[in-house]
Amino acid sequence: MTQARQAAVPRASRAPGAPWRVSLLTHRPAAAEEFYGALFGWEFAPGPGRRTRALLDGQEVAGIGQSPPDRQLPAAWTPFFASRDVDLAAGQVRLCGGTVAVGPLDSPGNGRTAVAADPSGAVFGLDESPGPAAPLTDGDRHGLPVWNELITYETARVVKFYETVCGYDQAPTAPGPDHVTLRGDGRPVAGLRGAGRAVPRDRGAHWLTHFRVTNVDRTLVQVTSLGGHVLRPPHQEASGRAATVTDPEGAVFAVLQAPA
């Protein structure tokens, strides 16, 4: 993992290009609510359409959506990035070698939105929000999404893509070989890691959302007892102890414990 942040950026201060929300697409929303509610302490409230809002202390931290029943899409977490003009950004996606899968369209509660893929095939979303949301008060809270990292084949091409589409720039120092930290408004907002042939064949290039946990080892016990799986056991990073797991339907995510 690249230079993961120690706290989430409050939504009210997020610049264009900054992470805005994360959303899970799944065929079994009720089962997902049971899993993540037990794992992260989330509560749930109805959202627009077939979407459910995941809440911590009454504030939305994620969304869970119903996958179209006629399409065999894999369960997956998708990060959405803020945009001043989703229609313009969607055009830039196409010009820069990506594809737009959904939208741009008006999304109740989220303004104008689109779902796209970068040139390597990694899926992400864009949100043109009608206004700022309330800031999250505790960035180290168990169950809060705190970082998104792109696992891709090599970073050179996709760095230029996200710089153009999202308005990012690169941090001046690299955290490791073919690792890049991207910044929005001077703040680190996402990481890119070139993994070459180590990119999983069954998933290809993909965004990996990291959720804060108070204890990685205890969380992994919960993950397996709730029907999930551990893909990568705990390992030490500069930002703390991390592990990569899946929920019972196969959606991949990471859990991150802050340094002591």
Side-chain angles (χ1 to χ4, degrees):
M1 186 179 65
T2 59
Q3 179 189 349
R5 303 196 57 199
Q6 298 309 307
V9 179
R11 282 190 175 186
S13 66
R14 289 176 180 175
W20 181 253
R21 62 184 174 96
V22 292
S23 184
L24 173 68
L25 190 67
T26 178
H27 290 281
R28 300 167 54 207
E33 290 179 27
E34 183 177 351
F35 175 84
Y36 290 101
L39 188 67
F40 291 146
W42 291 350
E43 297 179 334
F44 301 93
R50 293 182 292 180
R51 183 172 174 267
T52 298
R53 300 163 59 233
L55 310 173
L56 267 180
D57 293 333
Q59 294 186 338
E60 183 175 349
V61 294
I64 297 177
Q66 171 74 58
S67 183
D70 58 340
R71 299 183 63 186
Q72 295 303 310
L73 299 173
W77 281 100
T78 300
F80 282 73
F81 302 103
S83 174
R84 284 197 180 97
D85 188 330
V86 165
D87 293 87
L88 177 61
Q92 291 173 324
V93 166
R94 297 185 182 97
L95 287 173
C96 294
T99 58
V100 178
V102 178
L105 49 80
D106 293 326
S107 175
N110 292 309
R112 197 149 174 81
T113 189
V115 177
D118 69 22
S120 69
V123 176
F124 67 100
L126 294 164
D127 270 345
E128 182 183 336
S129 177
L136 296 171
T137 56
D138 185 0
D140 281 336
R141 177 73 187 273
H142 181 88
L144 190 71
V146 290
W147 187 248
N148 288 296
E149 182 182 41
L150 175 65
I151 313 300
T152 190
Y153 301 98
E154 53 86 23
T155 63
R157 185 181 181 193
V158 289
V159 164
K160 298 183 187 305
F161 175 88
Y162 288 103
E163 286 177 337
T164 301
V165 172
C166 296
Y168 287 142
D169 66 343
Q170 289 188 54
T173 57
D178 206 20
H179 284 51
V180 175
T181 298
L182 295 176
R183 302 181 303 180
D185 197 26
R187 295 172 173 158
V189 293
L192 276 60
R193 175 160 60 91
R197 294 182 179 179
V199 172
R201 290 186 179 182
D202 59 337
R203 296 198 303 279
H206 61 280
W207 280 97
L208 182 66
T209 296
H210 294 68
F211 295 91
R212 174 71 73 223
V213 295
T214 54
N215 185 290
V216 164
D217 299 288
R218 187 163 59 240
T219 298
L220 296 189
V221 172
Q222 287 182 292
V223 166
T224 55
S225 68
L226 292 168
H229 301 278
V230 177
L231 296 183
R232 186 181 182 189
H235 54 280
Q236 191 65 40
E237 300 283 355
S239 52
R241 294 189 76 220
T244 305
V245 301
T246 76
D247 67 17
E249 199 173 335
V252 180
F253 61 99
V255 291
L256 175 65
Q257 177 182 337

